[in-house]
Amino acid sequence: MNQKKWEVVRANYSAEKEYIEDGYYRLRPTEEGYQLAFLVPGMCGETLIHPEITIEMIDGVATPIRLIDMESTPTLRLSVKDGDGKEIKQQTEALLNKFIAAKKLVL
């Protein structure tokens, strides 16, 4: 995953959900590292993960390890432990790009 993009996103988002044009953006710290999530409004006022990527800090490097997408059908659950690393990395790059574009951030 692109560490420069990660640093820009980390500096400009927080654990508070922030609505920007097409949905909610959130970067929440966890025990493992962070959860990078795009959320969409649900039918009953809830928000649905579309997707949420768990990022672990390994030797100071942000590394995506899990992905959950509750809006897709069927629900998507990927894990590096299950051999899904390549797909998770691709989805992480796409989500980082979405976060950067939402606030028109400069790298």
Side-chain angles (χ1 to χ4, degrees):
M1 115 177 196
N2 185 308
Q3 297 298 307
K4 183 166 180 141
K5 288 180 185 178
W6 164 248
E7 290 301 328
V8 168
V9 167
R10 193 171 75 164
N12 288 278
Y13 287 91
S14 71
E16 295 297 317
K17 291 188 300 189
E18 182 176 356
Y19 188 82
I20 305 173
E21 292 183 25
D22 59 345
Y24 295 92
Y25 294 77
R26 180 183 72 205
L27 178 64
R28 179 170 47 196
T30 66
E31 287 183 22
E32 292 176 299
Y34 295 89
Q35 288 177 335
L36 181 68
F38 178 71
L39 304 109
V40 294
M43 298 294 286
C44 298
E46 80 282 24
T47 52
L48 301 170
I49 297 166
H50 187 49
E52 176 182 271
I53 299 171
T54 301
I55 296 173
E56 186 175 329
M57 299 303 292
I58 301 172
D59 297 325
V61 177
T63 307
I65 60 166
R66 263 190 320 276
L67 179 144
I68 299 173
D69 191 335
M70 302 301 281
E71 178 68 1
S72 64
T73 305
T75 300
L76 183 62
R77 295 177 184 269
L78 303 175
S79 172
V80 168
K81 290 179 182 176
D82 294 334
D84 301 319
K86 185 176 179 181
E87 177 69 18
I88 294 170
K89 284 180 184 177
Q90 289 172 347
Q91 297 245 7
T92 302
E93 287 298 324
L95 191 55
L96 287 172
N97 290 337
K98 184 174 185 69
F99 270 62
I100 289 167
K103 286 192 174 181
K104 299 171 180 61
L105 301 173
V106 178
L107 294 179

